[in-house]
Amino acid sequence: MWSFFHRLASPKHFYQFAGRLIPWLGWSTLVLFIIGIYLGLFVAPTDYQQGESYRIIYIHVPAAWMSMFVYMVMAISGGIGLIWKMKMADVVASSAAPLGAAFTILALVTGSLWGKPMWGTWWIWDARLTSELILLFLYLGFIALQSAIEDRRTAANACAVLALVGVVNIPIIHYSVEWWNTLHQGATVTRFDKPAMATSMLIPLLTMFLAFKLYFGLTLLMRARVEILERERDTTWMKEMITESGK
Amino acid sequence: MTNASLFNAFLTVLKRDLTLALRTRSEIANPLIFFIIVVSLFPLAVSPESGLLRTVAPGVIWVAALLSTMLSLDSIFRSDFEDGSLEQMLLSPHPMTVLVLGKVTAHWLVSGLPLILLSPLLGVLLFLPFEAMPALLATLALGTPVLSLIGAIGVALTVGLRRGGVLLSLLVLPLYIPVLIFASNAIATAAADLSIKGQLYFLAAMFALAVTLAPLATAAALRISLR
């Protein structure tokens, strides 16, 4: 078990392992997306209050969840890279950042598209929207710092410190914004008792959530492979692999 | 390492930085002038009408304080980085967190404290009611140290870069948001003659958190930047 993880820490094994995993992930992501979208758009019943326009939650809610999940992935792998000096943890953290930013933008855009028919306005300075916007700023700061430092190892470590500082701050920012102003509807799924949502609406949502997760895993592995190719271009295993594939 | 020698190290850094700052007085004065100019731009841009200015005053003063702190942040580590004394500090037997705390305290004394002293004047300029003045002073007194402490992390991360200025604001400003929210809210609440205990407790909690955790992050960031 542990030897598997140790081998994964070497770029060569990670590269090959990710290469084998990507097709599986890709197909299951595609299948889940098709099932989730079909269930969400055609099978799930129309909401009696919000009409058909509520269906955007099948994109919006998973994207919003992922935006926070990816930040945690980034911070944890950054911390691992900082403490145990694992190369692959740095690669994962730096590959995750643009994906997280993209999920955040997706959540913001779909939220504002949904806000227009619901609240009658594209943008409201409401607590969750605002903390999502601040999360986007945190991602952008991370990406900016990463691209500003030339040395890869220094960049990865500096970004890891920034991500960890961000993790301490995210709950503070979230709650301060929450108390500052609130209009967004409360959480409907994460309650521990019975969800406030009908099962027929919940199943497509969870399917979409799983699809988003797998999609993140897929793109993360793809980006990490590209990053490995760039970082390790002068190593012998890389040269051997390239000459072999050229034969 | 005894406690006394830790405190001595702290005091030595503090004294050194204060002496250096007082020898280049324009560097202290410029962010303050910037603070005054930014605040005085708002009546010109928005409207000189007293009712409107009174409602936006807490926010305007706090945003201006945030921006002027941003401007002065670079001076915490920049010149020490350039002449190599920062490296010497990292090599010294004293823990870097204590030295960082000394440097940040010095920065707050030359940038945060004058800001607090100037703020009632700006409050008058923006027709802030008299009842809100103690709240303004209290929030600035609790909030500006947090700004210096969090800002030091950002400076430590960007000090090795040639053009760190804009990047620094990108990194640090989102982290300033909680302070901004509670502080300006406290002043507005005080202007409406309500109790602001809750907001002040929150600012104090953030201060306690920042003073314990930020020097650790700053020291780690300096080690990375100076590698």
Side-chain angles (χ1 to χ4, degrees), chain B residues 56-94:
Chain B
V56 299
V60 168
I61 293 176
W62 255 97
V63 169
L66 232 69
L67 294 177
S68 77
T69 313
M70 286 284 328
L71 279 186
S72 64
L73 276 179
D74 221 29
S75 67
I76 304 185
F77 297 125
R78 173 71 59 187
S79 61
D80 285 347
F81 174 73
E82 276 162 4
D83 65 14
S85 36
L86 204 56
E87 257 169 73
Q88 296 305 317
M89 284 182 202
L90 274 179
L91 291 175
S92 83
H94 302 288

Side-chain angles (χ1 to χ4, degrees), chain B:
Chain B
M1 192 102 12
T2 58
N3 282 334
S5 77
L6 279 185
F7 193 63
N8 274 342
F10 171 80
L11 277 186
T12 315
V13 172
L14 179 65
K15 222 156 82 186
R16 167 186 177 274
D17 271 33
L18 281 181
T19 321
L20 279 174
L22 292 175
R23 299 241 166 100
T24 50
R25 288 202 187 87
S26 67
E27 266 187 45
I28 307 175
N30 288 348
L32 290 177
I33 299 170
F34 174 82
F35 181 52
I36 300 170
I37 292 179
V38 167
V39 170
S40 60
L41 285 180
F42 276 85
L44 300 174
V46 182
S47 123
E49 198 240 319
S50 65
L52 184 67
L53 284 178
R54 189 174 301 147
T55 47
V56 299
V60 168
I61 293 176
W62 255 97
V63 169
L66 232 69
L67 294 177
S68 77
T69 313
M70 286 284 328
L71 279 186
S72 64
L73 276 179
D74 221 29
S75 67
I76 304 185
F77 297 125
R78 173 71 59 187
S79 61
D80 285 347
F81 174 73
E82 276 162 4
D83 65 14
S85 36
L86 204 56
E87 257 169 73
Q88 296 305 317
M89 284 182 202
L90 274 179
L91 291 175
S92 83
H94 302 288
M96 195 58 195
T97 39
V98 174
L99 306 183
V100 163
L101 204 58
K103 289 185 79 63
V104 174
T105 315
H107 171 261
W108 179 76
L109 284 174
V110 296
S111 71
L113 198 59
L115 211 98
I116 298 172
L117 298 178
L118 265 176
S119 60
L121 181 73
L122 294 171
V124 171
L125 277 182
L126 293 179
F127 308 102
L128 196 68
F130 187 73
E131 302 84 65
M133 289 294 176
L136 177 65
L137 291 174
T139 54
L140 280 171
L142 281 173
T144 46
V146 181
L147 301 187
S148 295
L149 285 163
I150 297 177
I153 306 174
V155 186
L157 285 173
T158 55
V159 75
L161 304 172
R162 219 159 297 145
R163 250 164 291 176
V166 186
L167 183 61
L168 176 65
S169 49
L170 260 177
L171 301 186
V172 165
L173 282 178
L175 302 177
Y176 280 176
I177 289 171
V179 178
L180 179 72
I181 289 176
F182 280 106
S184 50
N185 182 264
I187 303 171
T189 315
D193 240 353
L194 296 165
S195 163
I196 55 161
K197 260 191 199 155
Q199 287 95 327
L200 287 185
Y201 284 153
F202 252 96
L203 284 171
M206 281 186 223
F207 173 61
L209 198 65
V211 94
T212 42
L213 291 183
L216 291 174
T218 312
L222 280 176
R223 286 219 172 79
I224 292 163
S225 285
L226 283 163
R227 197 153 54 198

Side-chain angles (χ1 to χ4, degrees), chain A residues 82 85 134 137-138 140-142 144-145 148-151 153-154 157-159 161-162 165-166 168-169 172-173 175-177 179-180, chain B residues 150 153-154 157-158 161 163 167 170-172 174-179 181-182 185 202 206 209 213 217-218 220-221 224-227:
Chain A
L82 205 59
K85 316 245 178 281
I134 297 166
F137 292 157
L138 289 177
L140 295 181
F142 185 96
L145 183 66
I149 304 176
E150 269 172 35
D151 180 60
R153 208 160 64 97
T154 315
N157 288 348
C159 286
V161 171
L162 185 68
V165 171
V168 175
N169 263 279
I172 302 176
I173 293 175
Y175 283 105
S176 54
V177 170
W179 285 319
W180 160 69
Chain B
I150 297 177
I153 306 174
L157 285 173
T158 55
L161 304 172
R163 250 164 291 176
L167 183 61
L170 260 177
L171 301 186
V172 165
L175 302 177
Y176 280 176
I177 289 171
V179 178
I181 289 176
F182 280 106
N185 182 264
F202 252 96
M206 281 186 223
L209 198 65
L213 291 183
T218 312
I224 292 163
S225 285
L226 283 163
R227 197 153 54 198

Side-chain angles (χ1 to χ4, degrees), chain A residues 65-132:
Chain A
W65 280 346
M66 288 309 290
S67 68
M68 280 171 255
F69 174 77
V70 174
Y71 200 94
M72 289 314 291
V73 168
M74 213 168 79
I76 291 170
S77 54
I80 292 173
L82 205 59
I83 296 165
W84 288 289
K85 316 245 178 281
M86 253 170 75
K87 245 194 247 171
M88 285 321 299
D90 293 348
V91 171
V92 167
S94 62
S95 318
L99 296 173
F103 281 125
T104 317
I105 292 173
L106 187 63
L108 280 171
V109 169
T110 49
S112 111
L113 283 176
W114 178 80
K116 185 63 183 166
M118 285 305 116
W119 298 330
T121 165
W122 295 109
W123 182 260
I124 280 180
W125 285 100
D126 132 81
R128 289 220 210 157
L129 275 175
T130 314
S131 42
E132 198 70 16

